[in-house]
Structure formats: C-alpha cells, structure tokens
C-alpha cells in the first residue's frame, strides 16, 4: 500500500491592500514547494456572507509526499529569504494537517 500524502488545509488572512504582495509570495513559494514534490492542490476564495474580517483571503489544500519533504521545504533558504515579503502580505495563517484518505462513495 502506498504511503498517504501529507495534506494541509491552509487558511491565509492577508493584510488589507496587500493582495499583489500575497500573490507574489505565493507564486514564488509554490515554485520552491515543487522542488520537494509539494503542490497546491486547490485554491478556494471564500465568498460566504460572513463578515469579511472573519474570512481568510484564500484557503489552500496543499500536499507533500510526507512530513520530511514538508520540513525540508520549510527550511529551504529561498523560502526563508521570502520571510519579509510573507510578513508584509499575510497577517495570519491557520494550518490543519492530516493524511490523505479515499473519498466516500457517492452512490
């Protein structure tokens, strides 16, 4: 049986007016992530009627082959160099991690 991928549900709260910096950071971080077989599986932009201050700017479903690759990505010097860009764009990040599991049948 294949080892399940590490899955991360990442809620990203941007600083007001910093969406272009956010996009720049995310684009560069995603390229680095690829070097560790990580990928952003889905990007969700919330549209609910909840007050905007309570909603994240985006929700990402991210995967890595395992915790070792994720930790190596987090230690990558290129990612560390992006810390000031990340800080200027992102006010708060909430991460929930788990393992990939099969979907439930629909019939």
């Amino acid at each position: 049986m294949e080892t399940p991928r590490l899955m991360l549900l990442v809620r990203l709260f941007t600083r007001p007016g910093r969406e272009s910096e956010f996009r720049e950071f995310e684009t560069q971080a995603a390229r680095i992530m690829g070097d560790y077989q990580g990928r952003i599986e889905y990007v969700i932009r919330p549209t609910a009627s909840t007050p905007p201050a309570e909603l994240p700017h985006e929700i990402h479903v991210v995967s890595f082959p395992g915790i070792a690759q994720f930790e190596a990505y987090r230690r990558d010097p290129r990612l560390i160099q992006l810390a000031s860009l990340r800080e200027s764009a992102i006010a708060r990040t909430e991460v929930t991690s788990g393992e990939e599991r099969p979907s439930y049948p629909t019939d």
Side-chain angles (χ1 to χ4, degrees), residues 7-105:
M7 303 299 292
L8 306 167
L9 180 69
V10 183
R11 295 168 37 98
L12 298 150
F13 297 81
T14 57
R15 298 186 190 283
R18 300 296 180 113
E19 289 78 14
S20 64
E21 289 96 334
F22 171 76
R23 185 63 44 218
E24 182 182 345
F25 170 77
E26 287 298 313
T27 299
Q28 291 184 50
R31 287 185 185 125
I32 298 165
M33 190 181 298
D35 291 344
Y36 298 93
Q37 296 84 48
R39 58 182 178 254
I40 299 174
E41 304 283 351
Y42 299 100
V43 174
I44 302 162
R45 181 71 58 89
T47 58
S49 59
T50 304
E54 297 176 24
L55 288 175
H57 177 70
E58 286 185 353
I59 301 167
H60 295 178
V61 177
V62 177
S63 73
F64 282 87
I67 192 71
Q69 291 88 348
F70 174 64
E71 289 174 349
Y73 159 73
R74 298 284 294 163
R75 290 188 309 267
D76 187 290
R78 297 168 296 167
L79 185 66
I80 292 167
Q81 286 182 331
L82 294 175
S84 62
L85 179 59
R86 185 185 196 293
E87 178 65 27
S88 74
I90 300 172
R92 185 170 98 236
T93 302
E94 298 172 357
V95 180
T96 303
S97 63
E99 292 181 347
E100 182 177 36
R101 294 287 183 229
S103 297
Y104 294 103

